[in-house]
């Protein structure tokens, strides 16, 4: 991305995460940097409201994110945003692997907002053939909120 001449660029690492790493998947020993992109710092702060040092780029795998994202697309995530927000898209560890999902907060097994029931997160794929599922909120580890999708034309 080209910026204004003289505008500061911020390095954003593209990383590969070992899926078997589990909830601590962004711990240094499970992450390898595969590339580094430099984006205009003012765009990151203004457009995303993010600090450049909190951004990471991950490659999308699989088709559960279609049509919003395709296999091979990259997502830019903000690792400082880890609280689930209904309707937002997050990269998270669901207990089985790293996934990119829309998140909806629910309570109880039936999705009813009953404060006496454990808090659950309903994880929703963009692909219409992939059924939503839920996990106990305490079992889900959110790596970060998706800010942008990057794809080749």
């Amino acid at each position: 991305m080209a910026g204004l001449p003289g505008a500061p660029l911020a390095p954003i690492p593209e990383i590969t995460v070992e899926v078997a790493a589990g909830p601590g998947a962004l711990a240094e020993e499970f992450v390898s940097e595969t590339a580094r992109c430099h984006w205009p710092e003012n765009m990151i702060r203004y457009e995303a409201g993010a600090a450049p040092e909190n951004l990471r780029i991950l490659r999308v795998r699989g088709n559960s994110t279609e049509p919003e994202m395709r296999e091979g697309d990259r997502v830019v995530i903000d690792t400082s945003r880890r609280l689930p927000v209904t309707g937002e898209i997050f990269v998270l560890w669901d207990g089985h692997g790293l996934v990119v999902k829309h998140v909806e907060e629910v309570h109880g097994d039936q999705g009813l907002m009953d404060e006496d029931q454990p808090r659950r997160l309903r994880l929703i794929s963009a692909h219409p053939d992939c059924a939503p599922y839920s996990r106990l909120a305490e079992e889900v580890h959110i790596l970060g909120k998706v800010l942008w999708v990057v794809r080749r034309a």
Side-chain angles (χ1 to χ4, degrees), residues 6 11 16 24-25 41 57-58 62 69 75 93 101 103 108 119 121 123-124 126-127 131 140-141:
T16 300
E41 185 174 334
I57 300 171
L58 297 165
M69 298 166 221
V75 290
W93 175 264
K101 301 289 181 199
V103 173
R119 206 172 114 235
L121 297 179
L123 307 177
I124 305 163
H127 198 288
V140 172
H141 178 76

Side-chain angles (χ1 to χ4, degrees), residues 111-150:
L112 303 174
M113 294 302 282
D114 180 353
E115 296 298 327
D116 294 332
Q117 296 295 316
R119 206 172 114 235
R120 299 182 74 81
L121 297 179
R122 186 169 187 241
L123 307 177
I124 305 163
S125 299
H127 198 288
D129 292 340
C130 297
Y133 60 99
S134 68
R135 296 282 184 261
L136 288 172
E138 63 193 32
E139 296 173 348
V140 172
H141 178 76
I142 295 177
L143 300 180
K145 179 187 181 303
V146 174
L147 300 177
W148 291 300
V149 177
V150 180

